[in-house]
Every structure is written in structure tokens, then in C-alpha cells.
Amino acid sequence: MANVTETKAVKSEQTRALIVETALRLFRERGYEATTMRAIAKEAGVSVGNAYYYFGSKEELIQAYYDELQEEHVKACRAVLDRERDFAPRLLGVLKARVDTMVPYHQFAGKFFKFAAEPTSPLNPFSAESGPARAAAVAIYREVVDGSTLKIDPEFRQELPELLWLYSMGIVLYWVHDSSPGCRKTYLLVERTVPLVNRMVAMSRLPGFKSVTRELVDIIRDVRA
């Protein structure tokens, strides 16, 4: 009985992955708006009802893609987070891993971005639907901070992971529009800005900057409330 249940679970996951893979291919070939759930089901070799069983809408399919990309990023970060203890190398490694995992999808990333940029879209990174993926992303940057030797104000330390996630979103936005071979300019942007971020974070410990840091923390908390 256990073997039958396990086999069904494996088959279910394979079907789900096939639907996502097929959807991404059709989005790339036909465009997001022109691709219907019926077309996705037909190409994947499943019934329309079966496609809707796994995903209630096309937006859920893109969200599944985001989730998978996030899982890939977590795995790609593990080596540098296990090896490094200084803040800057940890952040640099995590951001480079982020770009590494995104590069294979660069050719159609722009097609998704215009929907993700819509404030009311569930694909918006700040939407409720994107909450789990957003929390998982912030958690990576919390590990960057908590696993480092960084010594900063406790309240600033608590808010820093979300600020680093916002910084990473800026990197993603640049990457979407990066037409350089192999997204070389995006990697360069990461390499040149991480030292700046590191210095700004370190400066938060200086007496003259503590009041500024605490004001920044207050702003973050007021905006979030």
C-alpha cells in the first residue's frame, strides 16, 4: 500500500513538473496572454481538468516557476554560506548564485516582468500570492547576516535582510534588461556594488551614523505597518 501511494505521489509530481515546463515553453513561444490553459494541457498531454487540478490559473503556473527558481537559488547558495563567514563574500556569493540560476531563463524574463510589474497582479513580488517566495528569499539574506561575523546595531540587523532582498530585486530588474553576452554586466554590477553595500553597513556602527541608521529602521517599520 505504501509503495502504491509513493508511486502515485511521484507520478503526480512528474505531471505537475511537465505542466510547468510546457507552460513556460508556450509562454516563450506564443506569449503569456496568447497561451491558454487549454493549450498548455493539450501540449502536455493531460486533460484540461487535470491541468486545473494542479494549477488554478496561468498566474499560479508562473508562481510555481518562481518557487522552483527560489529552490534552485537556495541550493546554489549552500556552498558559499557553509564556507564563508565574512559578510561581503557571503553576500557576493549569494547574489552571484541568484544570477547564475536566472540566466537560463533570460530570453523570456522580460515577457513575465511586465505582468509582475503590475501593482494588482498576483505575480507582483509584493503581492500576497508571492508571500511564500518573498519570505524564502528574505530568509536567505537573513542567513547571510546571521551566519556572518558582522557586528551592527541589533535593530538594524533585524531589518537588514529585507533591505538586502530589495537590493537584490534591483539587481534582478537590471538583469531583465541586460543584453550583454552571458549577462556579463549584471555580474559586474554585483561585483562593484557589494563592496559599497559592505562599507555602508559597516559605517552604521560609527557614532555619527547611528542616528541615521535608527531613523532608517523607523522608516522601514512605519512603511511596513
Side-chain angles (χ1 to χ4, degrees):
M1 191 67 173
N3 288 337
V4 172
T5 301
E6 184 178 344
T7 299
K8 286 183 178 180
V10 170
K11 185 176 180 180
S12 177
E13 186 57 35
Q14 289 174 340
T15 301
R16 187 179 187 278
L18 175 61
I19 293 171
V20 172
E21 181 182 344
T22 302
L24 292 176
R25 176 171 59 80
L26 293 182
F27 291 156
R28 182 173 65 250
E29 294 173 357
R30 305 179 185 181
Y32 179 78
E33 292 175 304
T35 302
T36 64
M37 288 293 286
R38 183 174 295 277
I40 293 169
K42 181 179 179 181
E43 286 286 324
V46 301
S47 68
V48 176
N50 202 16
Y52 274 111
Y53 170 79
Y54 289 98
F55 302 99
S57 64
K58 291 193 294 182
E59 287 81 4
E60 287 188 14
L61 278 163
I62 300 301
Q63 197 61 61
Y65 155 68
Y66 287 159
D67 292 342
E68 289 185 8
L69 195 59
Q70 186 60 41
E71 289 177 8
E72 289 180 26
H73 185 213
V74 170
K75 293 177 183 176
C77 292
R78 186 48 44 206
V80 70
L81 291 176
D82 288 345
R83 181 180 68 249
E84 299 287 352
R85 284 294 169 263
D86 288 342
F87 173 71
R90 288 171 72 84
L91 179 60
L92 179 63
V94 165
L95 288 172
K96 281 188 172 181
R98 177 64 169 162
V99 181
D100 289 344
T101 55
M102 293 190 304
V103 165
Y105 306 99
H106 188 258
Q107 61 181 325
F108 58 92
K111 297 178 182 179
F112 293 155
F113 175 74
K114 65 178 181 179
F115 296 101
E118 172 60 44
T120 59
S121 171
L123 300 179
N124 187 304
F126 299 95
S127 70
E129 291 84 353
S130 296
R134 183 171 61 251
V138 172
I140 291 177
Y141 295 102
R142 188 164 301 283
E143 186 173 355
V144 168
V145 174
D146 291 346
S148 74
T149 57
L150 193 63
K151 298 185 185 302
I152 54 176
D153 179 83
E155 290 192 334
F156 183 47
R157 189 184 191 94
Q158 183 178 347
E159 303 299 337
L160 183 55
E162 189 165 347
L163 288 173
L164 294 176
W165 172 71
L166 290 172
Y167 162 47
S168 76
M169 292 301 292
I171 298 293
V172 172
L173 176 59
Y174 184 86
W175 167 79
V176 168
H177 298 280
D178 184 4
S179 60
S180 63
C183 299
R184 180 185 59 82
K185 289 184 178 180
T186 302
Y187 285 104
L188 179 62
L189 180 65
V190 170
E191 291 168 358
R192 296 292 296 273
T193 56
V194 165
L196 290 175
V197 171
N198 183 47
R199 286 202 292 271
M200 286 188 289
V201 170
M203 286 172 64
S204 71
R205 301 194 300 267
L206 301 178
F209 287 89
K210 284 185 178 180
S211 61
V212 176
T213 301
R214 290 186 179 177
E215 185 175 348
L216 175 60
V217 169
D218 289 341
I219 292 171
I220 295 168
R221 292 176 177 175
D222 287 345
V223 170
R224 184 191 296 136

